[in-house]
Amino acid sequence: MRNETTVQEFTLEGFPAVQHLGKVLFLVHLLAYLASMAGNAVIITITCVDSRLHTPMYFLLSVFSFLECCCTSTVIPKLMVIYLLGRQTISFVACFTQAFVFVSLGAAGFLLMAVMSLDRYMAICRPLHYPTIMNLKTCLLMAAACISLGFTLIAGLVVKISQLSFCGPHVITHFFCDLGPLIHLSCSDTRSVEIMTFVLALCILLTSLIITIIAYSNIVVTIIRLPSAKERQKAFSTCSSHLIVLSLMYGSCVFIYVKPKQTNKVESNREAALVATVVTPLLNPVIYTLRNKQVHQALREKICTVKMSR
């Protein structure tokens, strides 16, 4: 932190228009947070305990669920504190730590979704090579690479933003410390960090999107060529959940981050960010479990086993 940076803490504005409903909103967000954590925990647990789910697809899904838990936990607890206690201040270090962890986990999530697209491509288009190439060791290395790359790419950007001057006011028009609102607060020349933010966001999202489009283009061609309607339906059902989750993630994150000038429409980002941090993590485990027969069967068997043990 440079000497000209005098700010010691920021104030998170939250949602001032509904702050008078703080206790009600605290309860709503608490229930959504607990449901999200429970849903993702179920996916992680059932993948670990059921040997039939010890496959690359479910391993990657469990890693993605873990990232979702971490990402949500970075943001929502502070929002609940704002609603319940009205404590809107956050220290300089805590603010930039929150921004770094949240954006890094988000970047890792998109890269991991691209890997999941490749996994579906190999399973459907290259079934004979799939067991050899997409083994658990390979998936572990790719998942670790996604997380490492996500944190590495964002680290330099966050350090650069933290070195800007913040002369005041120190009110962040958001419910957590995101990069766009922080850039908006600075009294320095922010053109270079705005360009850097835009380019990084574009590269991460485009890389994931291009890999996904190429993978699913080949998947669609392969599915169409399958001889029976039952085989086509089975092949598509393994991809549909992934496509729905991808659509939810891209919709909110493109709106928030892929803008050349981060100072535009900062306030409108709050609603999109709320969808990305509360609604999407809540829906993802529901989408994956409701549309997956193997997870259904594994859950039913485990529930029956628990009931019988009693």
Side-chain angles (χ1 to χ4, degrees):
M1 185 173 61
R2 292 179 179 175
N3 293 331
E4 63 263 33
T5 305
T6 57
V7 62
Q8 298 297 317
E9 64 180 20
F10 296 102
T11 299
L12 295 169
E13 190 177 61
F15 294 92
V18 293
Q19 189 60 41
H20 61 286
L21 301 173
K23 292 184 179 179
V24 175
L25 292 171
F26 166 79
L27 184 60
V28 170
H29 284 78
L30 176 62
L31 293 174
Y33 175 67
L34 293 176
S36 172
M37 296 296 287
N40 284 298
V42 166
I43 291 176
I44 296 169
T45 304
I46 200 69
T47 302
C48 292
V49 300
D50 196 305
S51 59
R52 290 168 300 180
L53 302 183
H54 291 175
T55 63
M57 183 178 80
Y58 291 105
F59 170 77
L60 294 171
L61 176 58
S62 63
V63 175
F64 180 74
S65 295
F66 174 74
L67 292 180
E68 287 277 271
C69 289
C70 295
C71 195
T72 306
S73 299
T74 305
V75 174
I76 300 305
K78 179 59 180 178
L79 178 59
M80 291 192 293
V81 169
I82 293 173
Y83 281 139
L84 185 64
L85 304 176
R87 295 179 183 173
Q88 296 173 274
T89 58
I90 183 169
S91 70
F92 183 93
V93 174
C95 185
F96 276 93
T97 300
Q98 185 186 58
F100 170 64
V101 173
F102 175 78
V103 179
S104 298
L105 289 171
F110 275 102
L111 295 173
L112 188 64
M113 291 298 279
V115 172
M116 292 170 74
S117 299
L118 290 175
D119 172 73
R120 291 300 82 211
Y121 163 77
M122 291 298 300
I124 295 172
C125 303
R126 299 287 185 269
L128 297 178
H129 299 93
Y130 181 73
T132 306
I133 298 174
M134 293 299 293
N135 53 59
L136 289 175
K137 182 180 179 181
T138 302
C139 291
L140 181 62
L141 290 173
M142 288 194 294
C146 289
I147 295 170
S148 301
L149 191 58
F151 277 82
T152 303
L153 288 173
I154 302 303
L157 176 61
V158 173
V159 169
K160 192 171 180 63
I161 295 173
S162 70
Q163 293 174 339
L164 296 173
S165 296
F166 297 93
C167 310
H170 303 143
V171 179
I172 298 175
T173 55
H174 214 309
F175 62 90
F176 70 98
C177 293
D178 202 4
L179 300 183
L182 285 168
I183 293 171
H184 180 62
L185 277 185
S186 175
C187 53
S188 304
D189 183 359
T190 60
R191 283 176 296 181
S192 62
V193 292
E194 285 176 4
I195 293 171
M196 188 176 177
T197 302
F198 173 72
V199 170
L200 268 177
L202 197 63
C203 287
I204 292 169
L205 293 176
L206 271 183
T207 299
S208 176
L209 182 61
I210 290 170
I211 292 172
T212 301
I213 289 173
I214 293 172
Y216 275 98
S217 297
N218 285 276
I219 287 170
V220 169
V221 171
T222 303
I223 290 175
I224 291 172
R225 291 175 178 173
L226 291 175
S228 69
K230 187 176 181 181
E231 287 179 330
R232 289 194 294 270
Q233 183 180 3
K234 183 180 178 182
F236 183 74
S237 66
T238 64
C239 306
S240 57
S241 300
H242 184 218
L243 287 172
I244 294 170
V245 171
L246 268 174
S247 301
L248 289 170
M249 289 178 65
Y250 276 110
S252 56
C253 290
V254 167
F255 181 82
I256 296 170
Y257 294 108
V258 186
K259 291 183 291 187
K261 192 169 178 61
Q262 288 295 319
T263 55
N264 289 338
K265 299 182 180 179
V266 170
E267 293 189 10
S268 64
N269 285 354
R270 278 183 287 195
E271 288 72 20
L274 196 63
V275 172
T277 56
V278 178
V279 180
T280 303
L282 178 63
L283 291 178
N284 287 352
V286 176
I287 293 168
Y288 276 119
T289 53
L290 287 180
R291 300 181 65 86
N292 194 300
K293 292 180 180 179
Q294 282 184 291
V295 174
H296 278 185
Q297 185 179 357
L299 282 172
R300 282 197 298 267
E301 289 180 2
K302 296 303 175 185
I303 291 171
C304 290
T305 303
V306 171
K307 287 181 178 180
M308 290 177 63
S309 64
R310 291 179 179 178

